[in-house]
Amino acid sequence: MIDKDYFKNVGFEVEEESFTFGEYNSMDNRMFMANREAPTPSEREIVESVPYMQGVYDFSQLNGGERYFDNREITYQVMLFEQDYPTRKYAEKEIKRQLMPLGIQPLYDSHDNGCHWLGKCKSVTVDDDAEKGTLACTVVFDCYPFAISNDDAGADIWDNVYFPQWFFQTTEYRVDDKTEINLYNWGSRAVHCSIDVSGNVTITGDFGEIALSQGHYQDTQMVLAVGNNKMSMDGRAVVKFGFYVEVMY
C-alpha cells in the first residue's frame, strides 16, 4: 500500500479524498485525488442596454429575486502511482468504461459532507508517464448548479449531518385543530415540498392555501423560500413534509 509519504517524496500533494459515480469509486481503484476544481456556475443573465443610460437594466431576478444559473463543471485529477504498463492501461480503460456510458445521476464527493451533485461525465483524459509509472486522469463532470442534500431535511441521519450547515427540525405534525408551524430551508434556493397526509387538512402560508385529504402529494404549489417559512394548518390529520435542500458550494 502506497502511503502519503510516498506522494510527498515524488512531489505531489494528494488528499485522502475520492469521488463516487455509479459503481466507480476513485479510491477503491487506487486513483488518488491530486486536484479538484469546482468553480461557481455562470448566471443566466437577462440584461438590456438603453441609449444615454448609465449601466444596464438587469431583468435576471424578476421571478421573486432568485438568481438562475447554468450547469457547472466539476473537474478531478486522480492519479495511479508506481504501476507497470499493463496495470496503467487497464486503469485507463476501466475509468472510461465505468464513467462515460452513464447518464445523469448522483456524483458523491468526499469533500462535500451530506450532499451530492447531479450530472454526467463529460470527458476523461489521461496522461501516461512511462518513466515514473504514473497515470494521471482528468475527469470532468457536467452538473446541476447546486449540491443536493443526501437525505430529506427532517431525516437527521447522524452520520450524514454536517454540523456547520445543518438545521434540526420536526417535519411531521399531528393536527387536531389550528396549528402554527415553521419549516426552515437552510439551503441556497427555494425548493418544492412533498406532503404526506393522513386525514384532512388545510395549509396556509406565503404560497397561498391548499386543502388536502389523505394521500401523498409530490407536486403541490408549496415552495419553501430560503430561511424560515411560517404556515398554519387546520383540520385533523398527521402531516409530514419532505424536502431536499440545495446548496451553492
Side-chain angles (χ1 to χ4, degrees):
M1 177 70 70
I2 300 174
D3 60 23
K4 291 187 73 175
D5 289 337
Y6 169 80
F7 303 135
K8 293 178 181 178
N9 292 335
V10 297
F12 289 102
E13 290 295 330
V14 180
E15 299 296 333
E16 293 180 337
E17 294 186 348
S18 64
F19 71 82
T20 301
F21 190 69
E23 297 299 318
Y24 188 89
N25 175 272
S26 57
M27 186 61 75
D28 289 347
N29 285 272
R30 295 186 294 175
M31 289 287 195
F32 295 88
M33 190 175 296
N35 191 43
R36 173 188 187 274
E37 296 180 4
T40 52
S42 57
E43 184 179 7
R44 292 180 183 172
E45 293 185 305
I46 304 173
V47 296
E48 292 292 340
S49 178
V50 178
Y52 309 110
M53 186 195 81
Q54 304 289 351
V56 296
Y57 283 116
D58 190 337
F59 300 102
S60 306
Q61 296 177 254
L62 288 183
N63 185 18
E66 182 174 352
R67 297 177 68 182
Y68 294 88
F69 300 93
D70 292 320
N71 270 15
R72 69 197 300 170
E73 287 190 355
I74 299 178
T75 303
Y76 303 97
Q77 185 184 59
V78 291
M79 302 193 68
L80 183 69
F81 288 96
E82 215 173 41
Q83 299 295 326
D84 58 21
Y85 180 78
T87 301
R88 299 197 308 273
K89 290 298 101 179
Y90 175 78
E92 175 183 344
K93 291 176 181 178
E94 277 301 289
I95 195 170
K96 292 176 178 177
R97 181 185 70 83
Q98 293 197 45
L99 298 185
M100 289 303 298
L102 301 180
I104 296 173
Q105 57 188 281
L107 166 65
Y108 296 95
D109 186 333
S110 61
H111 177 272
D112 301 314
N113 303 76
C115 292
H116 65 272
W117 305 97
L118 194 63
K120 61 183 178 181
C121 187
K122 181 178 179 180
S123 66
V124 178
T125 56
V126 300
D127 181 11
D128 189 288
D129 190 325
E131 182 178 349
K132 295 180 179 179
T134 62
L135 180 73
C137 298
T138 301
V139 185
V140 181
F141 290 94
D142 179 42
C143 295
Y144 179 74
F146 294 88
I148 304 168
S149 62
N150 293 337
D151 303 298
D152 183 279
D156 295 338
I157 297 175
W158 192 258
D159 289 344
N160 293 336
V161 171
Y162 181 50
F163 287 97
Q165 294 176 338
W166 197 269
F167 189 86
F168 291 93
Q169 62 184 319
T170 298
T171 56
E172 182 173 334
Y173 298 88
R174 178 175 295 278
V175 182
D176 293 317
D177 203 343
K178 190 167 186 177
T179 304
E180 305 289 333
I181 68 168
N182 295 280
L183 291 179
Y184 192 82
N185 173 11
W186 49 265
S188 303
R189 68 171 300 249
V191 293
H192 282 84
C193 185
S194 66
I195 310 171
D196 286 293
V197 179
S198 176
N200 296 280
V201 66
T202 299
I203 308 173
T204 306
D206 290 342
F207 50 83
E209 181 179 285
I210 51 177
L212 303 172
S213 56
Q214 182 161 326
H216 173 74
Y217 299 86
Q218 186 65 40
D219 298 312
T220 71
Q221 68 195 56
M222 181 182 289
V223 176
L224 300 181
V226 174
N228 195 40
N229 292 263
K230 296 181 180 181
M231 59 189 76
S232 63
M233 299 189 291
D234 196 2
R236 291 187 179 276
V238 174
V239 183
K240 180 174 176 56
F241 300 95
F243 61 98
Y244 294 81
V245 300
E246 298 185 12
V247 187
M248 178 59 73
Y249 278 159

